[in-house]
Amino acid sequence: MAFFLDEINECLWDYLKSTDKKIVLYGMGDGAEKIKSVLDDIGVRVDAVMASDEFVRGHSFLGYKVKKLSEIEEEFGEAIILVCFGTRLPEVMEHIIEISKKHELYAPNVPVVGEGVFDLEFAKTHRDELKKVYELLADAQSKKVFEDIIRYKLSGKIEYLIDAETDSEEKFDILNIGIEETYVDLGAYDGDTVVEFLNGTSMQFKKIYAVEPDSRNFRRMKRRLYMIGSSLIEAYNCGAWNEDTTVIFSLRGGGRGNRAEPKEGEQLNPARFREVKMIKVDSMLHGEKASYIKIDVEGAEENAVLGAKETIVNFAPKLNIALYHRNEDMYKIPLLINAINKKYKLYMRHNAYIPDWDTNLFAVCK
């Protein structure tokens, strides 16, 4: 059977190296810094930085005066606009889509964690692993999502993300979430995904374990769970790992980007890093059954899965795992789940987001 990847030759990074058009970064955060770094590495010049009109206040970013789109249009006429931030807000996504109707626009894919980019060289190097995942996927929609996301990663074209979108509520049907679940939420943030689970089950469940390493997020989560008032919810201020240990944790202002990954040789500024306790799911459960595990742990998904290996082998809980933090997640995580327990059927879905930050693997024994 032919594999779609063998027919793909387009790559955004190669195109940007060859074009004579002006390059404009749209956004002013960590994503813009990462994309600028990649462009610097491949020798592509950035000509300007723009932001939405309400964020333009005459200031500078990365040495560029931040401009409005109207100023970019007046100065350059035609330009390539690179979206350098993430959003799931409908009004912001619609604004990006409207810009794309008038200008050449891309949302470059750069990993949330780790180095390198998902370019043609990377895709061809891991072609066999990607093909194996494609063949393991259990339904046509999963295969479509997989292909659309790979095509997006290589091209930066947002139409592939839009084509891949499915309703976020669909996971409750795929995973057959019921009213007697023992739910383990790894990367519980401020409790929002616990609340989503409770809404989906009409507040009926057997037990909930909520794990969040960031202390500020954990306090917010505790307040939210306190309002629910159930003794069947256990909250842990720690991270999920493949062993019980402590790691150095990179702080990102209390947001979702906090992660256990200081760069090698990086001086540990206490304002940005601290030691965090990490725990194996198998240790936390003490041999008890979990029926549903969500894993969204900012690039530590592989370690979290390995820390739940005994639970996955013995009880085959329903799994909901983020696939977008590292370049290798699209093949490494599904193949790991398949290697641990071959009884699982694997599904892939992408919820509305630019870039591909809400692409998830669902694994369920049916």
Side-chain angles (χ1 to χ4, degrees), residues 214-229:
D214 182 82
S215 57
R216 283 169 290 187
N217 293 337
F218 180 76
R219 287 194 293 270
R220 297 187 189 107
M221 179 179 69
K222 285 282 285 185
R223 286 195 292 270
R224 179 175 273 182
L225 299 184
Y226 176 79
M227 297 299 293
I228 297 171

PDB file of all heavy atoms in Angstrom, residues 214-229:
ATOM      1  N   ASP A 214       3.357  22.315  39.026  1.00  0.00           N
ATOM      2  CA  ASP A 214       3.566  23.734  39.293  1.00  0.00           C
ATOM      3  C   ASP A 214       2.775  24.161  40.524  1.00  0.00           C
ATOM      4  O   ASP A 214       1.556  23.947  40.605  1.00  0.00           O
ATOM      5  CB  ASP A 214       3.126  24.567  38.087  1.00  0.00           C
ATOM      6  CG  ASP A 214       3.378  26.043  38.308  1.00  0.00           C
ATOM      7  OD1 ASP A 214       4.515  26.483  38.092  1.00  0.00           O
ATOM      8  OD2 ASP A 214       2.432  26.752  38.724  1.00  0.00           O
ATOM      9  N   SER A 215       3.445  24.785  41.476  1.00  0.00           N
ATOM     10  CA  SER A 215       2.816  25.083  42.770  1.00  0.00           C
ATOM     11  C   SER A 215       1.679  26.090  42.640  1.00  0.00           C
ATOM     12  O   SER A 215       0.652  25.973  43.326  1.00  0.00           O
ATOM     13  CB  SER A 215       3.859  25.598  43.764  1.00  0.00           C
ATOM     14  OG  SER A 215       4.531  26.734  43.264  1.00  0.00           O
ATOM     15  N   ARG A 216       1.821  27.074  41.753  1.00  0.00           N
ATOM     16  CA  ARG A 216       0.750  28.064  41.592  1.00  0.00           C
ATOM     17  C   ARG A 216      -0.473  27.437  40.928  1.00  0.00           C
ATOM     18  O   ARG A 216      -1.613  27.666  41.366  1.00  0.00           O
ATOM     19  CB  ARG A 216       1.261  29.256  40.774  1.00  0.00           C
ATOM     20  CG  ARG A 216       2.135  30.200  41.584  1.00  0.00           C
ATOM     21  CD  ARG A 216       2.824  31.203  40.726  1.00  0.00           C
ATOM     22  NE  ARG A 216       3.863  30.573  39.913  1.00  0.00           N
ATOM     23  CZ  ARG A 216       4.721  31.245  39.158  1.00  0.00           C
ATOM     24  NH1 ARG A 216       4.639  32.560  39.084  1.00  0.00           N
ATOM     25  NH2 ARG A 216       5.644  30.605  38.449  1.00  0.00           N
ATOM     26  N   ASN A 217      -0.242  26.654  39.884  1.00  0.00           N
ATOM     27  CA  ASN A 217      -1.360  25.952  39.259  1.00  0.00           C
ATOM     28  C   ASN A 217      -2.012  24.994  40.242  1.00  0.00           C
ATOM     29  O   ASN A 217      -3.243  24.842  40.258  1.00  0.00           O
ATOM     30  CB  ASN A 217      -0.875  25.166  38.034  1.00  0.00           C
ATOM     31  CG  ASN A 217      -0.413  26.070  36.911  1.00  0.00           C
ATOM     32  OD1 ASN A 217      -0.809  27.223  36.834  1.00  0.00           O
ATOM     33  ND2 ASN A 217       0.435  25.540  36.048  1.00  0.00           N
ATOM     34  N   PHE A 218      -1.180  24.338  41.055  1.00  0.00           N
ATOM     35  CA  PHE A 218      -1.696  23.374  42.029  1.00  0.00           C
ATOM     36  C   PHE A 218      -2.618  24.061  43.037  1.00  0.00           C
ATOM     37  O   PHE A 218      -3.679  23.528  43.382  1.00  0.00           O
ATOM     38  CB  PHE A 218      -0.540  22.692  42.755  1.00  0.00           C
ATOM     39  CG  PHE A 218      -0.978  21.681  43.780  1.00  0.00           C
ATOM     40  CD1 PHE A 218      -1.442  20.436  43.381  1.00  0.00           C
ATOM     41  CD2 PHE A 218      -0.949  21.978  45.135  1.00  0.00           C
ATOM     42  CE1 PHE A 218      -1.853  19.499  44.317  1.00  0.00           C
ATOM     43  CE2 PHE A 218      -1.353  21.046  46.078  1.00  0.00           C
ATOM     44  CZ  PHE A 218      -1.811  19.806  45.665  1.00  0.00           C
ATOM     45  N   ARG A 219      -2.228  25.248  43.493  1.00  0.00           N
ATOM     46  CA  ARG A 219      -3.075  25.974  44.451  1.00  0.00           C
ATOM     47  C   ARG A 219      -4.407  26.353  43.811  1.00  0.00           C
ATOM     48  O   ARG A 219      -5.464  26.261  44.455  1.00  0.00           O
ATOM     49  CB  ARG A 219      -2.354  27.224  44.962  1.00  0.00           C
ATOM     50  CG  ARG A 219      -1.208  26.909  45.938  1.00  0.00           C
ATOM     51  CD  ARG A 219      -0.754  28.159  46.672  1.00  0.00           C
ATOM     52  NE  ARG A 219      -0.134  29.117  45.770  1.00  0.00           N
ATOM     53  CZ  ARG A 219       1.165  29.146  45.477  1.00  0.00           C
ATOM     54  NH1 ARG A 219       1.978  28.229  46.005  1.00  0.00           N
ATOM     55  NH2 ARG A 219       1.657  30.064  44.671  1.00  0.00           N
ATOM     56  N   ARG A 220      -4.373  26.784  42.561  1.00  0.00           N
ATOM     57  CA  ARG A 220      -5.616  27.104  41.856  1.00  0.00           C
ATOM     58  C   ARG A 220      -6.496  25.862  41.723  1.00  0.00           C
ATOM     59  O   ARG A 220      -7.718  25.922  41.899  1.00  0.00           O
ATOM     60  CB  ARG A 220      -5.306  27.671  40.472  1.00  0.00           C
ATOM     61  CG  ARG A 220      -4.540  28.996  40.478  1.00  0.00           C
ATOM     62  CD  ARG A 220      -4.432  29.543  39.064  1.00  0.00           C
ATOM     63  NE  ARG A 220      -3.524  30.684  39.001  1.00  0.00           N
ATOM     64  CZ  ARG A 220      -2.308  30.652  38.471  1.00  0.00           C
ATOM     65  NH1 ARG A 220      -1.848  29.524  37.961  1.00  0.00           N
ATOM     66  NH2 ARG A 220      -1.551  31.729  38.466  1.00  0.00           N
ATOM     67  N   MET A 221      -5.833  24.747  41.406  1.00  0.00           N
ATOM     68  CA  MET A 221      -6.575  23.500  41.266  1.00  0.00           C
ATOM     69  C   MET A 221      -7.208  23.083  42.591  1.00  0.00           C
ATOM     70  O   MET A 221      -8.371  22.677  42.631  1.00  0.00           O
ATOM     71  CB  MET A 221      -5.650  22.385  40.767  1.00  0.00           C
ATOM     72  CG  MET A 221      -6.346  21.028  40.618  1.00  0.00           C
ATOM     73  SD  MET A 221      -5.234  19.741  39.996  1.00  0.00           S
ATOM     74  CE  MET A 221      -4.140  19.527  41.404  1.00  0.00           C
ATOM     75  N   LYS A 222      -6.464  23.202  43.678  1.00  0.00           N
ATOM     76  CA  LYS A 222      -6.987  22.828  44.992  1.00  0.00           C
ATOM     77  C   LYS A 222      -8.211  23.658  45.348  1.00  0.00           C
ATOM     78  O   LYS A 222      -9.191  23.132  45.898  1.00  0.00           O
ATOM     79  CB  LYS A 222      -5.900  23.003  46.055  1.00  0.00           C
ATOM     80  CG  LYS A 222      -4.826  21.938  46.035  1.00  0.00           C
ATOM     81  CD  LYS A 222      -5.296  20.637  46.685  1.00  0.00           C
ATOM     82  CE  LYS A 222      -5.325  20.771  48.194  1.00  0.00           C
ATOM     83  NZ  LYS A 222      -5.674  19.489  48.845  1.00  0.00           N
ATOM     84  N   ARG A 223      -8.161  24.948  45.037  1.00  0.00           N
ATOM     85  CA  ARG A 223      -9.319  25.810  45.326  1.00  0.00           C
ATOM     86  C   ARG A 223     -10.524  25.361  44.500  1.00  0.00           C
ATOM     87  O   ARG A 223     -11.650  25.302  45.016  1.00  0.00           O
ATOM     88  CB  ARG A 223      -8.977  27.278  45.028  1.00  0.00           C
ATOM     89  CG  ARG A 223      -8.055  27.923  46.055  1.00  0.00           C
ATOM     90  CD  ARG A 223      -8.046  29.434  45.924  1.00  0.00           C
ATOM     91  NE  ARG A 223      -7.418  29.865  44.682  1.00  0.00           N
ATOM     92  CZ  ARG A 223      -6.128  30.127  44.541  1.00  0.00           C
ATOM     93  NH1 ARG A 223      -5.317  29.991  45.586  1.00  0.00           N
ATOM     94  NH2 ARG A 223      -5.638  30.533  43.393  1.00  0.00           N
ATOM     95  N   ARG A 224     -10.279  25.031  43.245  1.00  0.00           N
ATOM     96  CA  ARG A 224     -11.371  24.604  42.376  1.00  0.00           C
ATOM     97  C   ARG A 224     -11.946  23.273  42.859  1.00  0.00           C
ATOM     98  O   ARG A 224     -13.168  23.092  42.917  1.00  0.00           O
ATOM     99  CB  ARG A 224     -10.868  24.489  40.938  1.00  0.00           C
ATOM    100  CG  ARG A 224     -11.918  24.020  39.958  1.00  0.00           C
ATOM    101  CD  ARG A 224     -11.384  24.052  38.540  1.00  0.00           C
ATOM    102  NE  ARG A 224     -11.574  25.363  37.922  1.00  0.00           N
ATOM    103  CZ  ARG A 224     -11.228  25.647  36.675  1.00  0.00           C
ATOM    104  NH1 ARG A 224     -10.656  24.728  35.930  1.00  0.00           N
ATOM    105  NH2 ARG A 224     -11.457  26.841  36.177  1.00  0.00           N
ATOM    106  N   LEU A 225     -11.086  22.335  43.219  1.00  0.00           N
ATOM    107  CA  LEU A 225     -11.549  21.035  43.672  1.00  0.00           C
ATOM    108  C   LEU A 225     -12.219  21.129  45.050  1.00  0.00           C
ATOM    109  O   LEU A 225     -13.121  20.349  45.353  1.00  0.00           O
ATOM    110  CB  LEU A 225     -10.388  20.035  43.717  1.00  0.00           C
ATOM    111  CG  LEU A 225      -9.700  19.760  42.370  1.00  0.00           C
ATOM    112  CD1 LEU A 225      -8.643  18.681  42.532  1.00  0.00           C
ATOM    113  CD2 LEU A 225     -10.712  19.375  41.307  1.00  0.00           C
ATOM    114  N   TYR A 226     -11.750  22.082  45.855  1.00  0.00           N
ATOM    115  CA  TYR A 226     -12.384  22.287  47.170  1.00  0.00           C
ATOM    116  C   TYR A 226     -13.849  22.665  46.997  1.00  0.00           C
ATOM    117  O   TYR A 226     -14.710  22.228  47.772  1.00  0.00           O
ATOM    118  CB  TYR A 226     -11.645  23.376  47.936  1.00  0.00           C
ATOM    119  CG  TYR A 226     -12.279  23.738  49.266  1.00  0.00           C
ATOM    120  CD1 TYR A 226     -12.095  22.926  50.389  1.00  0.00           C
ATOM    121  CD2 TYR A 226     -13.064  24.880  49.383  1.00  0.00           C
ATOM    122  CE1 TYR A 226     -12.674  23.248  51.604  1.00  0.00           C
ATOM    123  CE2 TYR A 226     -13.654  25.215  50.603  1.00  0.00           C
ATOM    124  CZ  TYR A 226     -13.460  24.395  51.711  1.00  0.00           C
ATOM    125  OH  TYR A 226     -14.039  24.716  52.912  1.00  0.00           O
ATOM    126  N   MET A 227     -14.133  23.450  45.946  1.00  0.00           N
ATOM    127  CA  MET A 227     -15.514  23.857  45.701  1.00  0.00           C
ATOM    128  C   MET A 227     -16.370  22.657  45.312  1.00  0.00           C
ATOM    129  O   MET A 227     -17.566  22.622  45.584  1.00  0.00           O
ATOM    130  CB  MET A 227     -15.557  24.918  44.591  1.00  0.00           C
ATOM    131  CG  MET A 227     -14.827  26.198  44.939  1.00  0.00           C
ATOM    132  SD  MET A 227     -15.526  27.036  46.391  1.00  0.00           S
ATOM    133  CE  MET A 227     -17.122  27.519  45.739  1.00  0.00           C
ATOM    134  N   ILE A 228     -15.736  21.650  44.690  1.00  0.00           N
ATOM    135  CA  ILE A 228     -16.471  20.434  44.343  1.00  0.00           C
ATOM    136  C   ILE A 228     -16.767  19.633  45.605  1.00  0.00           C
ATOM    137  O   ILE A 228     -17.832  19.045  45.762  1.00  0.00           O
ATOM    138  CB  ILE A 228     -15.668  19.598  43.325  1.00  0.00           C
ATOM    139  CG1 ILE A 228     -15.511  20.396  42.030  1.00  0.00           C
ATOM    140  CG2 ILE A 228     -16.327  18.250  43.067  1.00  0.00           C
ATOM    141  CD1 ILE A 228     -14.561  19.775  41.029  1.00  0.00           C
ATOM    142  N   GLY A 229     -15.795  19.606  46.521  1.00  0.00           N
ATOM    143  CA  GLY A 229     -16.025  19.072  47.851  1.00  0.00           C
ATOM    144  C   GLY A 229     -16.111  17.568  47.975  1.00  0.00           C
ATOM    145  O   GLY A 229     -16.846  17.067  48.810  1.00  0.00           O
TER     146      GLY A 229
END
